[in-house]
Amino acid sequence: MTRSTIELVPTAKDRRIARHAAAAIVLTVAEAAIPLPLPGLKPGLANIVTLIVLARWGWREAVWVALLRVLAASLLLGQFLAPGFFLSLSGALASLLVLGLAMHLPRRWFGPVSHSILAAFAHIGAQLVVARLWLVPHDGVFYLLPVFALAAVVFGIVNGLVAARLLQELHAPGGAAVPPAAPLPER
Amino acid sequence: MSFPLAAWRALIRPGDVLVALAGLALCVHAFVSLWQGGRPETALVRAGGKLVAELDLALPQEFDVRGPLGMTRIEIQPGRARVATDPGPRQYCVRQGWLTQAGAVAICAPNQVSLSLSGRGADYDSLNY
């Protein structure tokens, strides 16, 4: 076999992103198996991974992980370029934007739980707007807002707590395989 | 591995509580403004006291009803309805304009036609002007 002339050497960062994205993809696929009453009403467990990456490695890596997750999970679930894919994509982009802003809130007061709730609201907001503009051109979609808003609060809190817990675990002595790049947030 | 409730609580920072409460407030607001009645769903058209049509308010359409004086034209647009034309002498029901709330009624008495909006959880049993 001829040796490839192009050699791509994955950096530690690439591997890290791939690892986190893989975890997020697994969560998304597992979550797809949970039957839920309304289409689009999901716990969004993969966002736990996004939150952790955001807290430990920063926004850029969180963007990578979230978008890779949307892409790969949609391929695995046969949703790629289907309406559901664009809904997840718009939700992911909006929540990443909000996370980018929310991460600058004072750490002392706002932790992963806040980030999670805000991102969840951005997620449903963008999804409803896309659904209204493109998929269901009728104001009727907004009747779902209370349900989605409640889900955003509940799942936002739960995911935020899990992320906070995992971050605590990772920061605990001996718990972290890789030392965090950023100094620990003060608790 | 045990993780007591108090430890979970330690993960919540003061601002998190505020964000969660704001989120809940938004839920309640959305629920109250979107789900609490007042939104008409169908238009009921009666002629001579009998129900002649039940029109969905989702799609724009026009509907003609015959009464003793002639044709009354009902116009439907998404979420609202009105009596567009009526042969009655004083045109009260036409001048009432668009009906937008569940329970609102426009009565064309001379032509014995009435238009009323109904919806789940209407705020009023009947609204007349």
Side-chain angles (χ1 to χ4, degrees), chain B residues 1-127:
Chain B
M1 190 162 66
S2 75
F3 200 70
L5 207 61
W8 283 111
R9 211 169 325 132
L11 297 174
I12 300 177
R13 298 176 203 179
D16 297 344
V17 179
L18 290 181
V19 173
L21 287 179
L24 275 181
L26 194 71
C27 283
V28 171
H29 177 75
F31 181 81
V32 169
S33 57
L34 290 172
W35 282 12
Q36 291 293 298
R39 295 228 164 188
E41 277 154 20
T42 51
L44 307 177
V45 183
R46 288 187 176 82
K50 269 184 231 129
L51 188 68
V52 293
E54 222 180 309
L55 309 168
D56 194 345
L57 285 187
L59 297 170
Q61 56 177 311
E62 289 187 341
F63 184 78
D64 289 328
V65 208
R66 183 169 292 285
L69 300 185
M71 295 300 263
T72 296
R73 169 160 290 188
I74 309 288
E75 191 184 342
I76 308 280
Q77 280 191 0
R80 57 184 195 167
R82 68 169 177 178
V83 178
T85 59
D86 180 67
R90 281 171 289 275
Q91 301 283 304
Y92 285 142
C93 56
V94 179
R95 285 155 72 184
Q96 203 171 319
W98 290 104
L99 308 184
T100 54
Q101 273 190 300
V105 183
I107 300 171
C108 306
N111 205 24
Q112 298 180 12
V113 170
S114 80
L115 165 69
S116 58
L117 302 190
S118 78
R120 276 176 306 154
D123 287 331
Y124 311 100
D125 289 326
S126 171
L127 274 177

Side-chain angles (χ1 to χ4, degrees), chain A residues 56-88:
Chain A
R56 299 190 78 203
W57 307 105
W59 188 70
R60 279 165 186 277
E61 286 198 28
V63 172
W64 268 111
V65 168
L67 295 184
L68 279 174
R69 183 218 107 213
V70 169
L71 183 72
S74 76
L75 286 172
L76 283 173
L77 297 171
Q79 286 269 327
F80 183 56
L81 296 186
F85 167 74
F86 290 104
L87 288 179
S88 336

Side-chain angles (χ1 to χ4, degrees), chain A residues 102 104-115 185-187, chain B residues 11-19:
Chain A
H104 297 299
L105 289 169
R107 292 257 171 128
R108 205 172 159 66
W109 294 87
F110 300 94
V113 177
S114 293
H115 299 165
E186 274 187 34
R187 199 169 294 280
Chain B
L11 297 174
I12 300 177
R13 298 176 203 179
D16 297 344
V17 179
L18 290 181
V19 173

Side-chain angles (χ1 to χ4, degrees), chain A:
Chain A
M1 202 171 86
T2 344
R3 266 192 72 125
S4 169
T5 50
I6 307 166
E7 205 160 331
L8 291 174
V9 185
T11 62
K13 186 180 165 191
D14 295 335
R15 291 179 198 279
R16 202 162 62 216
I17 289 174
R19 233 184 8 247
H20 285 121
I25 292 162
V26 166
L27 285 174
T28 307
V29 173
E31 183 179 87
I34 305 172
L36 286 158
L38 258 178
L41 194 69
K42 290 191 283 190
L45 298 174
N47 298 319
I48 297 170
V49 180
T50 313
L51 288 168
I52 291 172
V53 174
L54 181 79
R56 299 190 78 203
W57 307 105
W59 188 70
R60 279 165 186 277
E61 286 198 28
V63 172
W64 268 111
V65 168
L67 295 184
L68 279 174
R69 183 218 107 213
V70 169
L71 183 72
S74 76
L75 286 172
L76 283 173
L77 297 171
Q79 286 269 327
F80 183 56
L81 296 186
F85 167 74
F86 290 104
L87 288 179
S88 336
L89 185 64
S90 58
L93 288 173
S95 53
L96 284 168
L97 276 179
V98 166
L99 281 176
L101 298 174
M103 67 185 290
H104 297 299
L105 289 169
R107 292 257 171 128
R108 205 172 159 66
W109 294 87
F110 300 94
V113 177
S114 293
H115 299 165
S116 178
I117 297 171
L118 292 172
F121 269 103
H123 208 280
I124 58 156
Q127 287 190 324
L128 279 176
V129 167
V130 169
R132 168 67 182 83
L133 292 178
W134 178 42
L135 298 172
V136 190
H138 184 265
D139 283 336
V141 269
F142 292 120
Y143 280 109
L144 296 174
L145 186 62
V147 183
F148 283 125
L150 188 65
V153 174
V154 173
F155 293 134
I157 292 174
V158 170
N159 289 348
L161 280 175
V162 172
R165 165 81 206 279
L166 287 171
L167 280 167
Q168 195 182 48
E169 201 95 335
L170 290 164
H171 287 152
V178 199
L184 304 191
E186 274 187 34
R187 199 169 294 280

